[in-house]
Amino acid sequence: MYRKLLQLLATLTLICAVASPSIADCGDHPDPGVDWAGCFKLNRLMSGYDFHGANMVGTNLSNSDLSGANLEGANLTAAILDRTLLSRAILKNANLTKALLDRAVLQNADLSAARLFKTELHRADLADAKLIGSNLE
């Protein structure tokens, strides 16, 4: 009886592991395509890192330094980027829908073709930022 229960438990665990969708691992190293959805990455120094194609939906990056970082094509939907340094960052084709960028520094950032639907930019510094083809609805 005990042996059958263990076999059943092992089988169910295996099925759940195979069938479950992949989830974000907040401990993953910052690399291209990283999945940090819903992670808390406050006060981080990540200047110049390559995050192109990353999934950062709902990620909190407040007060972090991402200046010069490559976030091209990254999904930052509903991300929290309050007071984040993004000067000279590459955000081409990034999805920033409903992201919070209050007091963010985006000087000389490239936001070409970025999706900025309902993005909050209260007191954000966009001096010399490239917004060609961006949608700011």
Side-chain angles (χ1 to χ4, degrees):
M1 172 83 171
Y2 181 70
R3 186 179 190 123
K4 286 195 179 223
L5 185 61
L6 282 176
Q7 287 176 337
L8 179 62
L9 184 61
T11 304
L12 288 174
T13 302
L14 182 61
I15 290 170
C16 289
V18 172
S20 67
S22 63
I23 56 172
D25 185 356
C26 298
D28 283 350
H29 191 270
D31 285 321
V34 70
D35 185 357
W36 279 354
C39 296
F40 290 89
K41 298 289 180 179
L42 292 86
N43 303 310
R44 302 294 171 107
L45 299 174
M46 298 182 285
S47 178
Y49 282 38
D50 187 357
F51 291 106
H52 77 269
N55 180 17
M56 297 185 181
V57 174
T59 301
N60 190 336
L61 294 156
S62 295
N63 297 308
S64 292
D65 183 356
L66 291 164
S67 53
N70 181 2
L71 292 150
E72 185 171 355
N75 189 351
L76 292 151
T77 301
I80 303 169
L81 298 149
D82 293 338
R83 297 179 187 263
T84 299
L85 296 176
L86 289 156
S87 52
R88 299 177 325 281
I90 301 167
L91 291 149
K92 290 180 187 176
N93 297 307
N95 188 349
L96 291 151
T97 300
K98 295 185 179 180
L100 303 176
L101 288 114
D102 296 344
R103 296 185 184 212
V105 178
L106 293 145
Q107 294 174 350
N108 295 301
D110 188 350
L111 291 149
S112 302
R115 289 178 297 277
L116 298 157
F117 302 113
K118 298 184 180 180
T119 301
E120 301 211 14
L121 295 159
H122 303 289
R123 299 176 81 183
D125 184 352
L126 291 156
D128 298 318
K130 295 177 187 171
L131 294 161
I132 299 167
S134 294
N135 194 332
L136 293 158
E137 283 185 35

